[in-house]
Amino acid sequence: AAPDGHGELVGDVSPEPTVLDFVDPMIGTGGLSYRLGNVFIGATLPFGMAKVGPDTKHDPWGEPGFTHCEGYWYDDTHVAGFSQIHIHGTGAPDYGSLLVQPSLGMDDSKVTEVGYMLPLDHALEENHPGYYRIAFASTGILAELTATTRVAVHRYTFPETDDAVILVDPSHVIASCDVDDTDISIDVEAGVIEGYLHTGCSLSGRFGGYPLYFHARFRALPSAGGVWQDDLLVDDAVTASGPETGGWFRFDATPDAPIELLVGISFVDLANARKAVDDEVGEKSFDEVRKLAEGAWVAAFNRARVEFSEDTPEAVVIQYYTSLYHSMLMPSIWSDADG
């Protein structure tokens, strides 16, 4: 795989054990005070812009910002959803923008986090470099994430139902952040939602916040869709704007036909968000993107190969490769492919 994770796929990632098996991304996700790690959980490439992963909640009513600088805290009880960008290892909250969340059914209660968050069970959670997955026992939904440099790739497997729903919430924030504007449009027939949001947090708020442009494209065509604004579903509307908006799509689903979603992002404009999806993913399947992402991490780790003595405790090997992994999560690329 190319080091940037979106080159041509040449064979499969080896099924034999690799350095990836010695990375434990959960190290540093819990703790309090000076024991707090605030590390990123989810899928990304080395120094990748797209860092797609779960944002968690301690209870339905919120959580302290200092434990959620990256959106995830191990001791939380619920998953609010999966944001497309995160920071890593900081002492102040930021990013956690543009949430995607699967659900069963759509009604007025699902336009807020309290309505669409799902219980978190670490026994049903798995994270490796370039890949994240979690199952939700309460709904029977499996969520999987991978990424290219600027595209978050989602795959959701539902039980057999004609009421599988995926929500896209540009108004979502992590603690201490604020979205002051969004502008979205949906095309149900094409399975597309796109637009922008403007947000600011403890770090980016110091320079006025940032705009995030996004183009989200489903590979399966939805049977219905809509938008909400100001915490209310809007009948027959395909656009929405303001600080509280979102979009939803309904699908006929079966366990053997997962729903894939590609989300391209840009800090510059919508055209570059669309171009990222076309250029970095194109027709590649979720599994192909995942293999490329894993190959990019193997290539990155090979720059700092170590030969351990035979009596080295496995915990020491895991500590080394996990630290190496963490060292390549930031700084992040934030330019478009054209510079």
Side-chain angles (χ1 to χ4, degrees):
D4 61 5
H6 59 266
E8 291 301 315
L9 184 69
V10 182
D12 293 341
V13 172
S14 172
E16 298 299 320
T18 70
V19 293
L20 304 187
D21 297 299
F22 295 101
V23 177
D24 183 1
M26 288 295 170
I27 293 174
T29 59
L32 287 170
S33 186
Y34 292 105
R35 294 174 58 87
L36 186 65
N38 274 332
V39 301
F40 165 69
I41 286 294
T44 189
L45 294 185
F47 309 109
M49 177 175 169
K51 286 182 170 60
V52 55
D55 292 342
T56 58
K57 301 285 184 179
H58 190 63
D59 59 51
W61 310 111
E63 67 290 317
F66 67 88
T67 60
H68 292 77
C69 296
E70 281 62 48
Y72 184 102
W73 190 45
Y74 191 86
D75 292 332
D76 279 336
T77 58
H78 290 77
V79 175
F82 307 100
S83 292
Q84 314 311 297
I85 58 172
H86 292 88
I87 52 178
H88 163 77
T90 66
D94 222 301
Y95 284 14
S97 295
L98 188 61
L99 179 136
V100 174
Q101 177 76 318
S103 182
L104 292 177
M106 186 65 196
D107 55 47
D108 289 329
S109 70
K110 300 287 180 68
V111 303
T112 65
E113 287 186 355
V114 173
Y116 60 59
M117 66 174 55
L118 294 170
L120 169 60
D121 184 348
H122 293 300
L124 304 176
E125 187 179 32
E126 181 182 324
N127 196 186
H128 305 288
Y131 176 71
Y132 174 89
R133 63 179 279 162
I134 185 170
F136 298 108
S138 60
T139 58
I141 299 170
L142 172 65
E144 298 174 277
L145 309 172
T146 189
T148 65
T149 303
R150 301 170 185 84
V151 182
V153 183
H154 303 240
R155 182 165 68 183
Y156 297 102
T157 304
F158 289 83
E160 186 165 353
T161 177
D162 61 1
D163 210 8
V165 169
I166 296 178
L167 307 113
V168 180
D169 186 354
S171 303
H172 161 80
V173 293
I174 62 173
S176 303
C177 298
D178 181 61
V179 170
D180 56 29
D181 192 25
T182 72
D183 189 2
I184 64 171
S185 63
I186 67 169
D187 184 337
V188 177
E189 292 185 358
V192 168
I193 178 171
E194 60 182 19
Y196 96 103
L197 61 92
H198 188 274
T199 185
C201 302
S202 296
L203 298 176
S204 60
R206 301 173 190 180
F207 57 80
Y210 61 89
L212 183 70
Y213 297 87
F214 64 92
H215 171 82
R217 182 190 311 168
F218 290 97
R219 284 195 159 136
L221 294 182
S223 59
V227 300
W228 71 79
Q229 186 163 331
D230 299 327
D231 293 340
L232 294 172
L233 292 173
V234 184
D235 293 336
D236 302 321
V238 295
T239 63
S241 60
E244 295 287 345
T245 68
W248 61 274
F249 296 84
R250 178 180 290 120
F251 299 86
D252 296 328
T254 61
D256 59 352
I259 297 167
E260 294 187 10
L261 171 65
L262 316 177
V263 185
I265 55 175
S266 168
F267 289 124
V268 178
D269 57 31
L270 190 53
N272 275 292
R274 294 171 183 148
K275 193 173 189 302
V277 173
D278 291 334
D279 291 353
E280 296 188 9
V281 180
E283 299 303 315
K284 297 184 186 74
S285 68
F286 180 95
D287 288 327
E288 289 174 321
V289 175
R290 176 188 173 183
K291 290 172 184 175
L292 287 165
E294 292 173 346
W297 277 109
V298 170
F301 287 137
N302 281 343
R303 301 171 189 166
R305 286 178 292 181
V306 172
E307 290 188 11
F308 292 95
S309 61
E310 292 184 1
D311 60 349
T312 303
E314 186 177 84
V316 173
V317 182
I318 291 172
Q319 184 181 42
Y320 171 77
Y321 282 112
T322 301
S323 297
L324 188 59
Y325 170 71
H326 284 159
S327 75
M328 291 186 279
L329 292 177
M330 284 187 74
S332 300
I333 291 169
W334 57 279
S335 58
D336 291 325
D338 61 4

